[in-house]
Amino acid sequence: MTELTGAQIMCEALLREGVEVIFGYPGGCIMPFYDALVGYEQLHHVLVRHEQAAGHAAEGYARVTGKVGVCVATSGPGATNLVTAISDAMMDSVPIVAITGQVTSALIGRDAFQETDVTGITQPITKHNYLVTDVRELPRVFKEAFHIARTGRPGPVLIDIAKDAQQLRTTPVWPESVNLPGYKPTRDGNRKQIREAIKLIGMANKPLLMIGRGVMLSEAFPEVRELAERTGIPVITTLHGIGAFPEDHPLSLGMSGMHGWVHNNKAIQECDLLFNIGGRFDDRVTGKTSTFAPHAKIIHVDIDPSEIGKNIRVDVPIVGDAKRILTILLEELPARDSGDWLLHIREMQAVHAAKQQYTRPETPQFMPHDVFAVMTKMINERGNYHICTDVGQHQMWAAQLIDWLEPHTHITSGGAGTMGFALPAAVGAQFGDPGSTVWAVAGDGGFQMNIQELATIMQEGLPIKIAIINNGYLGMVRQWQQLFHDKRYSATPMWSPDFVKVADAYGMPGMSISRAEDVADAIATAYATSGPMLLEFRVEQEANVFPMVAPGASISDMIMSDPQPVLA
Amino acid sequence: MKHTVVALMQDHPGVLNRVASMFRRRGYNIDSLAVGGSETPGISRMTLVVDGEDTIVEQVTKQLYRLIEVLKVSDVSDDPHIARELVLAKIYAPASKRQEVSSLAEAFGGKIADVGQDSLMVELTTSPDQIDNFIELVRPFGIREMVRTGRIAMVRGTPTHAGDAYVKVA
Ligand SMILES: Cc1ncc(C[n+]2csc(CCOP(=O)(O)OP(=O)(O)O)c2C)c(N)n1
Ligand SMILES: [Mg+2]
């Protein structure tokens, strides 16, 4: 065995973990690694324009592929720029490994140039983190880091590596397996509890399935479908469950919660059994917890035991991997019929018309709804896409108004709600699925939070399609101001540059659209363009996302339309 | 209600910080926390006293388990167990009061660890309740300095919370 530098060991370790692409930005304390990278052409490095984008790109890659995304930054400001993306990955259980350079071990603790306590800062927002000062530890730490990131409830792991540990040489000893005696995620689920769940499913008159990100992560799509079809139980998807159950399925109800459909929230309040698979009862889902699902027995499947009983009382907890648990459950689950209950929910739904009219007010204006109405048709005709949405009104419209049919097509920052997510996430998503069409759908505000990544797209030649829903406002905040702060638009009107000219400056074609009748042509042009393209939709400025549950209110108290809140 | 929770964890740098930081972030009320070696090299043992309802303690336990280096967590409150705490108290005791203070210490099973000009240092290891009682009794003499270790606990009888299961740990 030959001796390698720590930096070479880092590269070897990445290859051993099957890494093909890394997103990063160099600097002093990570320079040995960047130097070694020259000898490893198999590791494609994507130079971002801000480390936050490296983190979100790693997330985009991970969210599309299910594999571990990797981002790299230097010490101090480089590392702190990763923090937002790391916390985003923590909230949404996204497997990423973040590698940061650290000052030479002899200088640690002395406030050396660009020294920051990165392991300290990221302690509460990582699944685990490491500070490596001894080159001999690198093989073990990398193996553990990737294992922890991708198994159990996935999440971000950070490895902070002192510069001298990157420079020193050693003969690496590659461990065969990981030895983490305190880390043994439960996968199978307790049989007794599973039987209890089967019993409750048999007894319920008004059962509901709610599926969350856990279904996505364990790829339990056929199992969920079999469960639904065998029992006729209607399926609600959380924001992160979107795509895990096709929305054109007769049992699909779509999203519930703060901007979910009225009939779904009502169904939750009426149901006598709520079977939550891989959702964590976020407050955007539950509204006021004390009034949530008051008549329901609750079955909760989650791989993280700490999620059970955290926000909502649970009658039958089942800890483990959704796919495994459902497989076992389906072995014994008898068929049943839930037709009357479904009919009842469909009747509640029929009070409102199709999705479009559901939320679009009658107005001649160019509404954001008009963009999504065309978009859902055109993307689904063409298929093979991933849509990365940003955070705000457009994110909710996209979730509501697009017909989501396939897993991993809807990529969004849910738990953290990080503006600026969409564009860099699209970069990662495109690397994760090079043959697909990747859309970044962002607001005028969020787009400008990582607008610099247009350069990354150009440098890498990525054919990403960008849709900016430009309403001239930090729209979601403006909506809250309109509804809950007497229309005092404090710091939400937003001037923006000419986005088409901005695109042009980056060498990217762009188009601005101000009329509903031009949307289809614009999207067709984007599809016909082989490279990237930016579309700016200049929509009605004060359109609102409805229905809506006011923060802290019960999910049955829905605001249906402008101007003043009307209770449903 | 106060719960006594015992946790075993790998003795890695930063583990205590992870635990403390988790408690702060989740807003749990920790009355005392004592950490030190266990019977197994490489494994530390922590005793926590947590104030809260059963559901809170259940969350504390689950959140502790989320930390990769935490091996085992048990709420021993309902098991028959021995709980002990050590206190060092420097009590104002001019010659005229010495006898009184030392016999109080003796009555509690403590001893005089040091004798100063006009003070006595009492060393007392007993149940936390008894320590509270002792402190109340000597308070009128004047306590100049005091330190308590926080509770440590162990279940009676055949060990149920030993680190043997993890001896392979480096
Ligand atoms: C980094 C960050 N800062 C602030 C917020 C708070 N916030 C949530 S939505 C929103 C408005 C977003 O505006 P825009 O990107 O234009 O999207 P729109 O709501 O108008 O569709 C803001 C400021 C956030 N989610 N993330
Ligand atoms: Mg906007």
Side-chain angles (χ1 to χ4, degrees), chain A residues 393-394 443-445 469-476:
Chain A
Q393 291 183 308
H394 65 281
D444 42 332
I469 309 299
N470 185 358
N471 52 11
Y473 278 103
L474 296 173
M476 186 56 92

Side-chain angles (χ1 to χ4, degrees), chain B residues 99 101-112 122 134:
Chain B
Q99 191 47 49
V101 171
S102 34
S103 49
L104 256 178
E106 233 165 78
F108 278 84
K111 61 180 185 194
I112 306 302
V122 174
F134 173 75

Side-chain angles (χ1 to χ4, degrees), chain A residues 90 120 123-124 127-129 148 153 179-183 304-310, chain B residues 10 17-18 21-22 24-26 59 62-63 65-71 166 168-169:
Chain A
M90 186 70 174
Q123 201 274 311
K127 187 171 171 187
H128 197 54
N129 63 20
I148 292 169
R153 178 180 184 173
N179 176 21
L180 294 166
Y183 179 68
D304 180 351
S306 76
E307 287 302 344
I308 286 171
K310 187 181 76 178
Chain B
Q10 288 176 290
N17 179 45
R18 286 184 207 280
S21 153
M22 186 276 286
R24 176 196 52 76
R25 161 165 138 61
R26 303 257 171 208
Q59 264 298 312
K62 287 172 172 178
Q63 293 296 341
Y65 270 124
R66 284 181 94 190
L67 303 176
I68 305 288
E69 287 135 330
V70 171
L71 304 169
Y166 310 100
K168 276 180 299 185
V169 181

